[in-house]
Amino acid sequence: MPRTIRTLTSKEVETLVDWAAGEGWNPGLGDAAVFQAADPEGFIGAFVDGEMVAGISAVAYGDGFGFIGLYICRPDRRGEGHGKAVWDAGMTRLGNRSVGLDGVAEQRANYRRMGFVPAYETVRYSGRVAGLAGGGSIRPVAAEHIADILAYDRKCFSASRQAFLNGWLQPPHIALVAMNSAGVSGYSVARQCREGFKLGPLLADDTHVALQLLGVLAAAMAGDALHIDVPAANSGFIAALQAGGLRPGFTTTRMYRGGVPRIASSKVFGITTLELG
């Protein structure tokens, strides 16, 4: 049967996110709209007889960087080449950009063959936080903070992502910023998911500020479970998470093709999402 590859509509992006929920990825309740705002043309599907059978996100952050995620083939149509078709379409769309992805262990060898190089491991920590106090100069993100947050974020991410953050920092997401005498010293966002809340990004000058942000966010979640994807090299932060009751789950590997971006990795305590980087 002929296969059609095309950009997804908003409703079809919602379907792709629903597939992610079916895979156990626990997406946020409003992820589809905010994800698509990052790059409206960056969501691609394969269709047979008018039905979507596979999808992928290939989000371009400007001309220099892109990110691959939401790479899913419908279970009943696997083994027919639809997944490879959307992968090829996504990579073609991103062209000569440096491209990142978060890969599970069983796919790492495949991504290596496609030119991706491992940069670091990420571990998901989950649970209900106990004993983490907030404190410090932590406040809800307001309009006057946006420009400074965007500048801070650019130090920690591989490209400017204003279109994405314009939505990500808005309610119903819980967005907090830490301030000191020099300006922004960190920020974080929590969003409600199919199960509990996911926290990301969590960016901060140091572990102390990161734990302050986490403590205030945990209080705002009213005791619900939280999930955060933490770079494995952050041993001090991980020790505090474990002491606070969070437990490790699955791991992923951040990989890049076209060069590993130079960012302030010491400030990254929780990545934003496995889908968009």
Side-chain angles (χ1 to χ4, degrees):
M1 289 177 285
R3 178 173 53 222
T4 301
I5 304 292
R6 64 167 173 81
T7 302
L8 299 183
T9 66
S10 296
K11 194 68 175 175
E12 290 160 351
V13 175
E14 291 179 4
T15 297
L16 185 57
V17 172
D18 285 342
W19 287 2
E23 294 290 322
W25 298 356
N26 192 29
L29 298 183
D31 279 359
V34 187
F35 283 178
Q36 194 172 26
D39 179 3
E41 305 299 314
F43 297 80
I44 299 167
F47 294 80
V48 176
D49 288 340
E51 290 189 352
M52 187 163 72
V53 295
I56 198 168
S57 59
V59 170
Y61 294 102
D63 295 332
F65 183 68
F67 202 87
I68 291 287
L70 287 171
Y71 180 32
I72 308 172
C73 184
R74 218 171 68 187
D76 63 316
R77 302 306 298 264
R78 290 174 183 169
E80 300 174 1
H82 306 307
K84 179 64 162 56
V86 293
W87 170 272
D88 290 344
M91 293 303 294
T92 297
R93 181 175 190 272
L94 294 178
N96 293 324
R97 294 174 177 85
S98 173
V99 179
L101 58 79
D102 288 306
V104 294
E106 54 265 31
Q107 291 297 326
R108 184 162 57 185
N110 290 334
Y111 294 136
R112 277 183 177 273
R113 284 193 289 270
M114 298 173 193
F116 285 82
V117 176
Y120 60 87
E121 300 296 311
T122 299
V123 184
R124 174 161 295 176
Y125 280 83
S126 301
R128 288 171 173 80
V129 177
L132 284 183
S137 185
I138 309 294
R139 61 198 71 179
V141 170
E144 62 265 27
H145 303 130
I146 299 298
D148 289 337
I149 287 173
L150 290 172
Y152 193 93
D153 186 81
R154 183 63 187 89
K155 300 174 186 177
C156 306
F157 191 70
S158 307
S160 174
R161 50 179 176 174
Q162 181 172 355
F164 170 70
L165 289 176
N166 282 344
W168 201 248
L169 294 169
Q170 299 302 316
H173 292 184
I174 307 167
L176 300 177
V177 61
M179 306 291 294
N180 60 23
S181 59
V184 171
S185 59
Y187 87 94
S188 190
V189 177
R191 73 194 196 278
Q192 192 167 11
C193 295
R194 310 294 173 97
E195 189 275 313
F197 285 77
K198 280 185 182 174
L199 197 156
L202 175 55
L203 310 178
D205 283 356
D206 53 43
T207 301
H208 180 66
V209 175
L211 291 172
Q212 288 180 330
L213 283 162
L214 177 59
V216 177
L217 283 170
M221 294 173 202
D224 212 337
L226 68 85
H227 313 273
I228 179 171
D229 296 302
V230 184
N234 273 328
S235 56
F237 183 64
I238 285 173
L241 294 181
Q242 293 176 326
L246 299 189
R247 294 294 176 260
F250 70 90
T251 64
T252 54
T253 303
R254 175 63 60 89
M255 306 180 77
Y256 294 100
R257 193 187 78 169
V260 177
R262 299 179 65 180
I263 62 169
S265 57
S266 65
K267 297 180 185 290
V268 181
F269 292 86
I271 69 168
T272 306
T273 75
L274 299 180
E275 297 85 5
L276 265 70

